[in-house]
Amino acid sequence: MQASILIIYTGGTIGMVQNSKSGLLKPFDVENIMAQIPQLGSVNSKIEAISTRSPKDSANMRPSDWQEIGQLLFDNYEKHSGFVVLHGTDTMAYTTAALSFMFKNLSKPVIFTGSQLPIGHTRTDALENVMTAVEIALLQKNSVPIINEVCLYFGNKLFRGNCVTKISSQNFNAFDSPNLPPLVESKLDLEVNYSLLKASNSNKLNFNVALSEKVFVYKMHPSITEQQFSQTCAFVDFNVLILETYGSGTLFNNDWLLTELLKLRKKGVEIINISQCAYGNVSGLYEVSKYMDDLGVISGKGLTLEAAIAKSMCLMASETSKMNFKTLFITDLAGELS
Ligand code: ASP
């Protein structure tokens, strides 16, 4: 297929301008962004740009926004060979994780990017991020795209969309993928890590728009009281509880915690163990937390929190995957456990 890129603007600092009264940054429009990247005119391929209904600060993104972005990608999938999505950095890793699970059989690149400084700023990082994201989306071998998945490009690195997390609100290197090296690094040349790439597939693209919102995250810490924990469990409606635990997945073993977790398991709640450490895995090495295995708590291994939330929301959205939740959760569905 002839190379052609669709840029989808969803909001974020990249396209923001200063509100003349308050001086605060707010999203502007896609024409403004395109006008400020004249370099796109020298790319030897067709480039089109559209935007979501109401571009926003990504702090305002909800699952309905992931669904809207997914639907735009799905509706335009056949017309283009690759996609670049401009998105705010604050929740970009949640969106990329969600879309990586919502799509099955992608055979084209979907590259998210954004910037720390607006495109109109003299020291903006937007130009490099957008131009390289476009260049990566255009990479082909024998007329077939090299990248076949949802990714995030930022600070000279292309990350798998469900392994990446925002690590800095200040640095131009705002993202990291703690447990998976970058798929591509932008140096003088684009250095592609071929051994990590997904093989191209010719199966029909599938877009699962349904998402369950009954997923709750509890960050554990030494001063949590029984009352805080038990009241949250009693009054919040969830069917997946993601516990952010310590180190390699350890957690205190007070009687009250065991009792609360057992109550949840009896109600059919799935409990997932995710470490607060960015690097490494939930390993189950320590006696103190053996009770979690006994209760059927699922190891989140080296998943990012964003990926654990998105995977749970996707799996809980269909009756069939809900019934096989544990088996599917520990299975590598979209490269998230690689
Ligand atoms: N608040 C902005 C957003 O996430 C930050 C950014 O884009 O860097 O939309």
Side-chain angles (χ1 to χ4, degrees):
M1 154 180 221
Q2 206 213 332
S4 138
I5 300 295
L6 180 66
I7 296 180
I8 304 177
Y9 171 56
T10 73
T13 298
I14 189 164
M16 288 191 187
V17 286
Q18 264 177 345
N19 180 319
S20 52
K21 283 191 193 131
S22 65
L24 297 176
L25 291 170
K26 61 171 185 94
F28 200 43
D29 57 42
V30 65
E31 286 77 28
N32 174 51
I33 301 180
M34 298 308 285
Q36 300 202 51
I37 321 179
Q39 292 88 334
L40 284 171
S42 53
V43 173
N44 196 12
S45 303
K46 202 167 99 193
I47 298 189
E48 283 175 26
I50 57 171
S51 78
T52 45
R53 275 190 296 274
S54 145
K56 52 184 72 170
D57 191 304
S58 78
N60 268 336
M61 290 270 178
R62 300 279 311 156
S64 55
D65 295 291
W66 308 341
Q67 288 161 329
E68 184 189 351
I69 298 167
Q71 195 64 53
L72 281 177
L73 290 165
F74 187 71
D75 293 344
N76 288 286
Y77 192 72
E78 293 307 328
K79 292 182 233 153
H80 299 276
S81 62
F83 303 85
V84 170
V85 184
L86 309 183
H87 194 292
T89 60
D90 289 345
T91 65
M92 187 162 13
Y94 289 91
T95 307
T96 55
L99 287 168
S100 79
F101 295 112
M102 291 164 82
F103 280 107
K104 278 195 189 67
N105 304 325
L106 268 180
S107 56
K108 296 180 182 181
V110 176
I111 317 287
F112 278 69
T113 193
S115 64
Q116 293 282 58
L117 286 173
I119 194 137
H121 194 288
T122 40
R123 289 195 309 113
T124 189
D125 48 334
L127 290 179
E128 199 285 318
N129 284 345
V130 175
M131 290 309 297
T132 308
V134 167
E135 214 177 296
I136 291 173
L138 286 168
L139 288 176
Q140 297 196 349
K141 207 174 193 177
N142 305 326
S143 301
V144 176
I146 285 180
I147 309 288
N148 301 295
E149 56 182 300
V150 178
C151 294
L152 190 159
Y153 179 78
F154 217 92
N156 300 317
K157 293 186 176 108
L158 183 77
F159 301 108
R160 177 159 291 155
N162 50 34
C163 294
V164 66
T165 192
K166 185 170 178 183
I167 52 156
S168 173
S169 59
Q170 293 285 318
N171 292 342
F172 289 131
N173 291 329
F175 288 88
D176 191 15
S177 168
N179 291 324
L180 188 75
L183 305 183
V184 178
E185 283 195 68
S186 171
K187 299 185 180 168
L188 283 186
D189 294 316
L190 291 178
E191 289 184 4
V192 182
N193 195 341
Y194 284 96
S195 65
L196 295 176
L197 299 188
K198 289 186 185 164
S200 176
N201 79 84
S202 50
N203 297 336
K204 194 165 175 282
L205 180 72
N206 186 302
F207 174 50
N208 282 313
V209 76
L211 293 166
S212 163
E213 293 191 8
K214 290 194 177 185
V215 175
F216 188 74
V217 180
Y218 210 119
K219 184 161 192 158
M220 305 307 274
H221 55 89
S223 54
I224 287 176
T225 65
E226 174 177 4
Q227 192 202 29
Q228 288 166 344
F229 193 80
S230 65
Q231 293 202 353
T232 308
C233 294
F235 296 114
V236 182
D237 181 23
F238 52 79
N239 48 27
V240 177
L241 173 65
I242 299 175
L243 293 177
E244 283 194 89
T245 61
Y246 313 131
S248 56
T250 58
L251 193 55
F252 47 87
N253 55 5
N254 295 352
D255 284 349
W256 65 257
L257 183 62
L258 266 71
T259 310
E260 288 303 325
L261 296 181
L262 184 61
K263 265 198 250 168
L264 291 174
R265 294 291 296 134
K266 283 192 174 152
K267 278 204 294 190
V269 171
E270 300 288 357
I271 305 175
I272 294 163
N273 183 357
I274 290 288
S275 173
Q276 290 169 24
C277 290
Y279 290 83
N281 264 275
V282 166
S283 68
L285 273 180
Y286 293 89
E287 195 180 84
V288 69
S289 306
K290 158 117 186 20
Y291 71 92
M292 287 207 265
D293 286 343
D294 303 338
L295 288 172
V297 172
I298 303 168
S299 165
K301 300 182 184 166
L303 284 184
T304 59
L305 177 64
E306 293 90 331
I309 293 173
K311 193 170 185 180
S312 303
M313 291 177 71
C314 286
L315 292 179
M316 275 295 164
S318 108
E319 280 312 312
T320 337
S321 50
K322 197 171 173 175
M323 277 173 24
N324 299 305
F325 186 89
K326 181 167 184 178
T327 314
L328 290 170
F329 195 90
I330 57 174
T331 304
D332 186 33
L333 300 179
E336 72 281 10
L337 293 174
S338 45

